[in-house]
Amino acid sequence: MPPFNLTSMTPATFILAGIPGMEKSHIWISIPFCSMYLAVLLGNGVMLFVIRTERSLHQPMYLFLSMLAIVDLMLSTTTVPKMLALFWFSAGEISFGACLTQMFFLHFSFSAESVILLAMAFDRFVAICYPLRYAAVLTQSAVVKTGLVALLRSFCIIFPCIFLLKRLPFCGHNVIPHTYCEHMGIARLACADISINILYGLAVPFAAVVVDVVLIAVSYILILLALFRLPSRTARHKAFNTCGSHVCVILLFYIPAFFTVLTHRFGQEIPHHVHIILANLYVLFPPLLNPVVYGVRTQQIKKKVVKVFICPKSHLQQG
């Protein structure tokens, strides 16, 4: 009897079904999603441009912020253009390789953003608890190495998912009830045991993110203890303001992420289309709001945006 060829049961293409039960509303749903995506491109693009062009912002805090903007652009761009093509043109077909690529960069972006948020928490910890050693600890070389660690860790965690999916037979099942490809959404189509995918998909990335959250929490506990030891209320208020933007960004990233995971795992009574809409909003909300939070709460960035985009216009008008 000839050996069973698993590769013959790997579909050439998958079909993204969009939001099941709401197909007639795809065009209307696409309007806010498209608007938010354009705002993501504008907000993060402005942030990167201002940090790149203003030498006074070439400091660790703002370099980490530029990394965050790049990862946010990757997170939304990985999913939203294909989602809009599906909504507008019913272009739900995606090749097996493209689906795995989209899955990889989606989860890769999430993991990398978690590492960058941890690095930003460490930046605030050193700046407040050890201000005299800040320049010596957070050198430009240290910032670059942190970025490389974020890339390497995320790659090592997510890359095995590709092989875990490629080993599975699909028996002709190729319709994904979602707007984009993600690990478990693909694995559930397989006609084989996916317990390894479930174990790896939940345990390894989730454990890595939980470690990041714990380390961020420890950093901010130590920061709070240091703030309470400051002699003047003005100094405490100033130091707290430097952390306020980062705390907001952390909450915007982790709370929706854990909410999405928990509702997907335990919210069986929640309609499937609600899960899909929440998953779509998650790849847009943090990238959309992060530049707004830093632009509004960080005086240095606000001043530089005004200087770069408003002052030249006023000079031209005066001339």
Side-chain angles (χ1 to χ4, degrees), residues 176-193:
I176 300 175
H178 210 305
T179 55
Y180 55 77
C181 300
E182 48 93 21
H183 178 221
M184 289 312 302
I186 302 172
R188 287 193 183 97
L189 297 179
C191 51
D193 182 21

Side-chain angles (χ1 to χ4, degrees), residues 170-205:
F170 290 89
C171 307
H173 304 300
N174 69 337
V175 178
I176 300 175
H178 210 305
T179 55
Y180 55 77
C181 300
E182 48 93 21
H183 178 221
M184 289 312 302
I186 302 172
R188 287 193 183 97
L189 297 179
C191 51
D193 182 21
I194 61 168
S195 46
I196 295 177
N197 295 74
I198 294 172
L199 181 63
Y200 188 91
L202 284 176
V204 178

Side-chain angles (χ1 to χ4, degrees), residues 273-314:
H273 67 270
V274 175
H275 288 293
I276 305 301
I277 291 173
L278 288 174
N280 288 330
L281 289 175
Y282 179 68
V283 300
L284 282 166
F285 256 46
L288 172 67
L289 296 178
N290 287 350
V292 175
V293 169
Y294 272 99
V296 170
R297 294 186 58 91
T298 308
Q299 290 296 325
Q300 294 92 326
I301 292 180
K302 192 188 300 183
K303 290 177 181 176
K304 297 305 178 184
V305 170
V306 171
K307 176 183 174 183
V308 171
F309 291 100
I310 297 177
C311 291
K313 292 181 181 179
S314 63

